[in-house]
Amino acid sequence: RAFDDGNLNDLSGQLYAGLARPKILATETLRLDGRAARMTTVTGEMDGSPVYLKTYVLKMNECVFDFMYVSTPGNLAAADDFDRMVGGFHYVKGPEII
């Protein structure tokens, strides 16, 4: 499929498809650099170990941008820093914005 065929929810789901026992904790549609984006937080297991994921996905100009924070569920100290970093995303160079 072309990237245009995937909606943000499906593209987000691909980021945690390999987790065992995934549990979606939160989802939100927001805007990053003027485009719709999908934020998802998920817990699950990878090779028997607990995992926490926070992901952001957006499509822009024939590109899909994935941002992923990976941690253990009890070690989320840098999650706020991750959110600030993603919030500052700005498309600088590449295909012309359409």
Side-chain angles (χ1 to χ4, degrees), residues 50-61:
V51 175
Y52 171 93
L53 301 176
K54 185 168 195 176
T55 65
Y56 291 85
V57 177
L58 77 138
K59 297 190 306 183
M60 181 183 284
N61 305 351

Side-chain angles (χ1 to χ4, degrees), residues 27-95:
T27 61
E28 181 182 354
T29 301
L30 56 133
R31 299 199 71 79
L32 290 175
D33 199 22
R35 296 292 177 105
R38 182 75 166 181
M39 183 282 299
T40 306
T41 56
V42 182
T43 58
E45 294 181 2
M46 180 65 72
D47 296 330
S49 296
V51 175
Y52 171 93
L53 301 176
K54 185 168 195 176
T55 65
Y56 291 85
V57 177
L58 77 138
K59 297 190 306 183
M60 181 183 284
N61 305 351
E62 302 177 2
C63 297
V64 175
F65 294 91
D66 299 324
F67 301 93
M68 183 180 290
Y69 177 78
V70 182
S71 180
T72 56
N75 187 22
L76 305 178
D80 289 340
D81 292 335
F82 173 73
D83 289 335
R84 280 191 294 278
M85 187 263 321
V86 172
F89 170 78
H90 179 67
Y91 186 81
V92 177
K93 186 176 180 179

